Each structure stands twice: as structure tokens, then as C-alpha cells.
Amino acid sequence: NFQVSRMFVVGDVVEVVGLKSKPEWNGKPGTILAAFSWDKGRYAVSIKLENECHAAANLKPCNMKLMAKHNDEEKQANDESPLFTVRQSEDGKGMGMFAATD
């Protein structure tokens, strides 16, 4: 299974999707807290729960859908963030990423 995704940046607002371990978080909004960790293959995300509570989680890019880009004055209006491909193993436990570069 290959999936092409855009890299997220700190401050991007995402929707949590496809989580199996915490299905109650699916559909919840989150905010990217830190740059992508190549060691973990995940982003640190703050997920907004009910009653203004937040949960911290490390999520794979395939478990997030972009809702709103962070308003960074240095970023151009069009999205030029790099593309990468995510490949999961057949058992769903392993994951590899291949970044596209110029």
C-alpha cells in the first residue's frame, strides 16, 4: 500500500482519521506541535477533546487529514511542502517513508 502525502508544518490544524488504538479520537481536530520525527515516523500532535481538554499523541501522517495550514508569513500562498510516500508492511506494523527532493 502506497500513499502520497504532504508534509505538515508546526501549527497546521489536522483531523484525526483511521486510528485503531483510539477510535474515539477519529474526527477530532488536532494541531501539529513539532516537526516530523524521522526516527519515530510520526508527528507530535495536540488533539482537542471535549471540555477544552487536549491529549498529546504521536501520529503517523496517514492518520491525519489537513484542515487548515498554519499561517506562516514566510510560506508562499501555494503549498510547496515536499511530497513523500508512505509504505506500510502487509501486517500493518512496519512503515517506510521515501521523501522526494529537488
Side-chain angles (χ1 to χ4, degrees):
N1 296 333
F2 286 97
Q3 174 187 1
V4 176
S5 303
R6 292 222 172 257
M7 300 287 284
F8 298 106
V9 298
V10 174
D12 281 355
V13 178
V14 296
E15 177 184 352
V16 179
V17 295
L19 281 183
K20 294 178 184 172
S21 62
K22 292 275 192 181
E24 64 273 18
W25 288 359
N26 291 327
K28 303 284 185 197
T31 303
I32 303 295
L33 297 176
F36 183 76
S37 169
W38 288 98
D39 292 335
K40 295 178 182 178
R42 297 166 191 260
Y43 285 94
V45 181
S46 173
I47 301 168
K48 185 176 179 190
L49 305 175
E50 280 76 32
N51 300 325
E52 299 300 315
C53 293
H54 288 80
N58 291 312
L59 300 179
K60 297 175 189 175
C62 63
N63 290 121
M64 296 180 289
K65 181 172 73 172
L66 183 65
M67 294 176 65
K69 291 296 286 176
H70 173 65
N71 187 13
D72 186 344
E73 293 178 18
E74 294 179 14
K75 255 181 114 56
Q76 294 181 356
N78 60 346
D79 186 2
E80 294 182 2
S81 55
L83 292 175
F84 64 92
T85 302
V86 177
R87 183 174 192 275
Q88 282 194 298
S89 63
E90 303 230 350
D91 63 5
K93 295 182 181 178
M95 181 177 76
M97 293 195 168
F98 310 94
T101 58
D102 291 336

